[in-house]
Amino acid sequence: MAKSKYEYVRNFESDDRLLPSTWLVVRIDGQGFTKFTERHGFAKPNDIRALHLMNRAAATVLGCMSEIVLAYGQSDEYSFVFPKNARSYDRRASKLTTLVASRFTSAYVYYWHEFFGTTPLQAPPAFDARVVVYPTDRIMRDYLCWRQVDCHINNMYNTCFWTLVTQGEMSPKDAEKRLSGTLSGDKNELLFSQFGINYNDVPDIFKKGSVLIRGIELVDVTDRHGVASKRPKGVVLTLHCDIIKERFWTEHPEILSGTPITAQRRQERQEQTPGTDTA
């Protein structure tokens, strides 16, 4: 940047670098999505097209920001987890939030037609963003537990609510009154006894949300001598699984270590190849 007498105005900028050695979670939320979903005729209680679009937009963010180790999404929100050793954009809160939100939003618009076909985008979607620092692995995991439990609670309520409205022919006001004060067991019983719906059969993407992590797949390649072989390629995997129990974290230790699996595999290949410079 060229120097001038006006450069002093930079002194008014805030230093918003986040605490080092802490987990960073950027969460985006849809703005005014109640009206947005109504305007575009989203299916109730869940529109699978919309959820797949959210996942596609989130995968785009992971493709642009290599330090993200995990993303979790449900409904109109997504959380992106940066490890303790993340250095992206000098850990500046303003950079991280604006880039995640803008990349997600632009991808949401760009890929809209792939999931909604000829349904036109009638209004520009918007997502706000915030970033929170979490000092320990346990607290970061508890944050993700909170979001997944929220997904389950909201989905069970919405499944009951819209079933009462669409199949039970209740008004929204009467359906809300019917569900007032009910517990999880009550809702399960209501769905099964009145409508023959076993909540356990509801797709996991609705009950558990979506988990995006990095993985490896083998792809066919041919070298310049015409020799075919398989080589590992980094990919984004979309799972619909329980992230509250220990099993998920045991199966994916690279997340808590802060080392993306793609980098781990690259290092392993280098160590296995004689004469390879790993510097």
Side-chain angles (χ1 to χ4, degrees):
M1 183 181 292
K3 292 185 177 295
S4 73
K5 68 177 182 179
Y6 305 110
E7 192 174 0
Y8 77 93
V9 298
R10 296 183 63 190
N11 296 325
F12 292 92
E13 295 181 10
S14 299
D15 183 354
D16 62 349
R17 286 175 292 183
L18 299 166
L19 288 173
S21 301
T22 56
W23 291 95
L24 309 179
V25 178
V26 178
R27 185 170 84 243
I28 61 97
D29 285 283
Q31 281 287 296
F33 255 57
T34 299
K35 291 183 178 180
F36 182 87
T37 58
E38 291 175 353
R39 186 168 184 176
H40 292 89
F42 280 24
K44 303 293 185 181
N46 297 290
D47 193 309
I48 193 65
R49 302 169 301 171
L51 294 176
H52 286 326
L53 175 56
M54 291 285 289
N55 292 343
R56 184 66 182 87
T60 301
V61 175
L62 266 70
C64 296
M65 307 182 80
S66 61
E67 285 193 319
I68 296 173
V69 294
L70 178 147
Y72 175 74
Q74 53 127 333
S75 186
D76 63 344
E77 71 170 57
Y78 240 103
S79 298
F80 299 89
V81 180
F82 292 79
K84 291 181 178 180
N85 58 359
R87 298 180 180 179
S88 296
Y89 305 99
D90 206 20
R91 298 174 69 92
R92 292 172 58 188
S94 55
K95 283 282 190 179
L96 292 172
T97 53
T98 54
L99 283 170
V100 169
S102 61
R103 282 173 172 158
F104 189 95
T105 305
S106 61
Y108 191 95
V109 173
Y110 186 82
Y111 292 109
W112 171 272
H113 71 283
E114 289 190 12
F115 299 94
F116 283 86
T118 58
T119 300
L121 188 60
Q122 301 181 43
F127 296 86
D128 66 29
R130 73 206 71 185
V131 59
V132 182
V133 299
Y134 295 107
T136 68
D137 296 356
R138 183 68 264 170
I139 296 176
M140 183 277 290
R141 286 181 55 180
D142 283 348
Y143 165 82
L144 293 172
C145 292
W146 171 49
R147 300 321 305 142
Q148 188 162 62
V149 169
D150 185 75
C151 174
H152 164 69
I153 293 173
N154 288 339
N155 184 69
M156 176 168 278
Y157 180 89
N158 289 332
T159 300
C160 290
F161 179 87
W162 287 106
T163 300
L164 288 171
V165 172
T166 59
Q167 297 185 38
E169 299 182 348
M170 280 189 176
S171 68
K173 185 175 181 179
D174 288 340
E176 183 177 354
K177 184 177 180 180
R178 172 66 179 82
L179 294 174
S180 178
T182 57
L183 301 177
S184 178
D186 301 323
K187 295 182 179 69
N188 270 309
E189 177 63 24
L190 182 152
L191 288 172
F192 189 75
S193 63
Q194 294 190 30
F195 303 100
I197 297 174
N198 186 338
Y199 187 75
N200 291 329
D201 295 335
V202 173
D204 284 341
I205 188 175
F206 302 150
K207 296 184 297 185
K208 298 178 180 178
S210 299
V211 184
L212 270 57
I213 60 174
R214 300 185 187 277
I216 294 289
E217 70 176 13
L218 295 177
V219 296
D220 295 319
V221 296
T222 303
D223 65 18
R224 61 189 180 189
H225 303 296
V227 178
S229 63
K230 291 185 178 292
R231 291 185 180 177
K233 176 185 177 182
V235 294
V236 175
L237 305 175
T238 303
L239 311 175
H240 310 294
C241 62
D242 190 326
I243 56 175
I244 298 175
K245 296 178 181 178
E246 198 66 31
R247 178 178 178 179
F248 171 81
W249 303 95
T250 301
E251 292 178 346
H252 304 285
E254 73 280 356
I255 296 174
L256 292 181
S257 72
T259 305
I261 193 168
T262 49
Q264 286 184 335
R265 294 294 183 268
R266 188 181 303 115
Q267 182 177 353
E268 290 170 1
R269 293 199 306 274
Q270 291 173 337
E271 291 174 348
Q272 293 168 3
T273 305
T276 300
D277 183 6
T278 59

